[in-house]
Amino acid sequence: MMTNQRRVMLLLPLFVVWVVVASAGLFYFGNQHYGQFAGELDWQNSVTTEFNLSALNVEVTPGIQVVHVQQPNCICNSRAENHMALFAGDYQVPGSSQHRRQIAEVLAAGFLLPASPAVLIFENGRLIYAGPYATGPLCSVSDSLIAPILRKEVRLPGLWLNGEAKACRCSFKAE
């Protein structure tokens, strides 16, 4: 007859193995889309600085305009939606100055974008920022890269192609 202590000693290794395997699986699948935004692509040296809003069929207006870029079925899109919700209120970018495009449309317009979700920020029609909304595996709004730019707390001296940031992203694959 098996005692309770003997049963626990037999089940304990099984439980430990289960915890290790479950943790490894959660870590792998949870971080599958986390990494450097541009990956191995030498993005900064392959983009033309002449890209403008008219290439995306957007009328240029004075001030800040943004293009939110996503691709279908990207698990990171929901995290970008949290950032997009702040544009009109916290960042004071009116809805008429915000535009949505699929990554394939941006590529067809002549701008190489290695992953999405991404945001393109234009000031007076000139591209000043392209890259992820935030850093970190969850792309939290508290880790926003763009808030200081949109609030004009930071003035960029030129175009910032932010390919080094580590974020939730889906690399683009042509279909």
Side-chain angles (χ1 to χ4, degrees):
M1 184 182 268
M2 194 179 293
T3 66
N4 283 342
Q5 184 179 11
R6 176 103 173 117
R7 284 186 192 130
V8 168
M9 294 306 289
L10 287 173
L11 292 175
L12 185 60
L14 182 62
F15 177 73
V16 169
V17 167
W18 176 79
V19 167
V20 168
V21 169
S23 297
L26 286 172
F27 179 80
Y28 172 76
F29 290 111
N31 289 308
Q32 189 172 348
H33 293 285
Y34 176 69
Q36 190 174 7
F37 186 75
E40 298 297 317
L41 182 65
D42 188 14
W43 188 36
Q44 286 80 359
N45 293 324
S46 59
V47 171
T48 175
T49 58
E50 303 303 316
F51 183 73
N52 59 44
L53 278 168
S54 60
L56 292 170
N57 297 321
V58 174
E59 182 181 340
V60 176
T61 59
I64 297 288
Q65 290 177 278
V66 296
V67 177
H68 304 284
V69 183
Q70 295 180 326
Q71 61 182 300
N73 305 317
C74 176
I75 195 167
C76 303
N77 287 343
S78 61
R79 295 174 183 154
E81 295 293 333
N82 295 333
H83 291 276
M84 289 183 227
L86 299 176
F87 274 75
D90 290 9
Y91 306 148
Q92 298 178 355
V93 178
S96 61
S97 294
Q98 298 182 54
H99 310 278
R100 289 180 180 248
R101 294 293 185 269
Q102 294 294 318
I103 193 168
E105 295 174 276
V106 174
L107 292 168
F111 186 74
L112 177 64
L113 194 59
S116 74
V119 62
L120 308 177
I121 302 175
F122 295 84
E123 185 172 31
N124 300 321
R126 187 178 60 89
L127 183 63
I128 60 170
Y129 176 87
Y133 291 88
T135 60
L138 299 177
C139 293
S140 168
V141 293
S142 63
D143 294 324
S144 176
L145 295 165
I146 58 170
I149 298 167
L150 295 171
R151 290 183 183 136
K152 298 189 182 192
E153 296 166 359
V154 170
R155 184 120 179 105
L156 298 175
L159 173 58
W160 181 18
L161 297 173
N162 188 1
E164 297 85 23
K166 288 188 174 184
C168 182
R169 86 291 184 248
C170 294
S171 299
F172 180 73
K173 293 180 177 76
E175 297 172 3

